[in-house]
Amino acid sequence: MIYLLESSTAVTAPIFNINNPASTGGRIDVIFRSLMASMPKEIEKRKKVNFYVILNGPPSPPLLIKFIGERFHLHFTSEKEVGLLFKDILSGKKVEGVIVEKKNFFEIVDELRKNKYIIFLLDEKGIDILKLKSKIIQAYPRAVFILGDQDGLSPEAFKFVEKIGAIKISIGPRVYLTSHCILFMNFILSKWRLL
C-alpha cells in the first residue's frame, strides 16, 4: 500500500532552516509530519506501508522520494529528527529504505497504474470511506492513497486523477491536516486488519 503526497512548494535541496522549516522550506514541515504519521512503529504493520512524496519546490523540481516500509526502519521522536534525515536525503546521502528519483506526479501515477495499482484520492467531497470498505479490501495491497499538501493537490494533478478515474474517498466533510488524514487511514486499515 502506498501513500502518495504531492507538495507544490516543498524545497528540493537542503536549504531549509532545521529550526524553522515551515517558513524556510516551502512547508516541508507538512512532509515531515506526514512521514511520521505514515510509518507504524510495529514492524509487521510498517512492512505493508510505503510513503511517496513529490517535492515541487525550488531549486530543481520535481523530486520523488520513496520510503519503503519493509526496509525503512528509522523511528522518530520529533520533527527535527525527520528534518535532519531530509537534510541528508536532499544532500544526496544514501539512506536504507529510501529511493530518490527525478519523476513528477504524472509519471509516478502512470507507472503505478501500469503496475495494476488502484488509485484512490482523499477528498472531502468523495464517497464515505466506510461505504468503500469492500473496494479498498479488494484493492489491497495494491492500493494508492493520494493526498495533497497544505494547499491540496495542484489543479493539474487534480484534473489528471479525475481524468484517469481515481476513486474519491472521504474521511469526513471537513478539510483535515495531511498527517491527520494518514493517521486516520492507518487506524481504519488496522481496524479492517489490512495493516
Side-chain angles (χ1 to χ4, degrees):
M1 182 271 289
I2 298 167
Y3 290 116
L4 173 58
L5 170 57
E6 185 211 32
S7 173
S8 300
T9 56
V11 295
T12 47
I15 54 177
F16 59 89
N17 181 331
I18 197 73
N19 296 311
N20 188 13
S23 61
T24 61
R27 293 306 313 270
I28 200 167
D29 59 306
V30 172
I31 311 304
F32 299 169
R33 285 193 292 277
S34 298
L35 174 62
M36 290 175 76
S38 69
M39 291 291 164
K41 288 189 173 71
E42 304 93 331
I43 295 296
E44 286 311 306
K45 287 186 178 183
R46 181 177 284 215
K47 285 179 181 176
K48 300 175 184 177
V49 179
N50 301 303
F51 176 77
Y52 292 9
V53 61
I54 312 248
L55 308 179
N56 286 312
S60 56
L63 199 63
L64 168 64
I65 305 175
K66 301 177 179 178
F67 295 85
I68 311 302
E70 198 165 22
R71 294 187 285 120
F72 182 71
H73 301 303
L74 296 176
H75 290 280
F76 307 103
T77 56
S78 71
E79 281 182 44
K80 191 167 186 177
E81 288 178 3
V82 185
L84 291 169
L85 170 68
F86 267 79
K87 286 267 188 188
D88 285 345
I89 292 168
L90 295 175
S91 297
K93 184 178 176 185
K94 299 288 182 195
V95 178
E96 179 67 26
V98 178
I99 300 165
V100 179
E101 297 177 340
K102 199 79 175 133
K103 282 185 184 165
N104 65 33
F105 178 84
F106 313 101
E107 289 170 321
I108 186 59
V109 172
D110 250 352
E111 183 181 298
L112 291 167
R113 284 174 63 222
K114 284 174 186 166
N115 287 317
K116 308 291 188 222
Y117 279 84
I118 308 301
I119 312 295
F120 296 91
L121 170 64
L122 270 75
D123 185 324
E124 67 272 14
K125 294 175 186 167
I127 301 165
D128 187 315
I129 189 170
L130 299 178
K131 292 179 180 172
L132 288 171
K133 179 179 179 180
S134 60
K135 186 85 175 169
I136 292 169
I137 289 172
Q138 187 182 4
Y140 222 79
R142 303 190 80 72
V144 179
F145 299 102
I146 295 178
L147 307 101
D149 61 8
Q150 70 282 354
D151 297 319
L153 277 186
S154 65
E156 299 80 15
F158 190 82
K159 281 179 194 168
F160 179 72
V161 292
E162 279 196 315
K163 184 180 173 184
I164 64 168
I167 302 162
K168 291 184 185 176
I169 60 173
S170 172
I171 60 170
R174 298 183 198 168
V175 176
Y176 301 103
L177 294 173
T178 306
S179 54
H180 289 184
C181 292
I182 293 171
L183 284 170
F184 182 79
M185 286 297 300
N186 274 359
F187 171 76
I188 287 287
L189 296 173
S190 292
K191 239 182 138 181
W192 293 346
R193 301 190 177 181
L194 297 174
L195 275 190

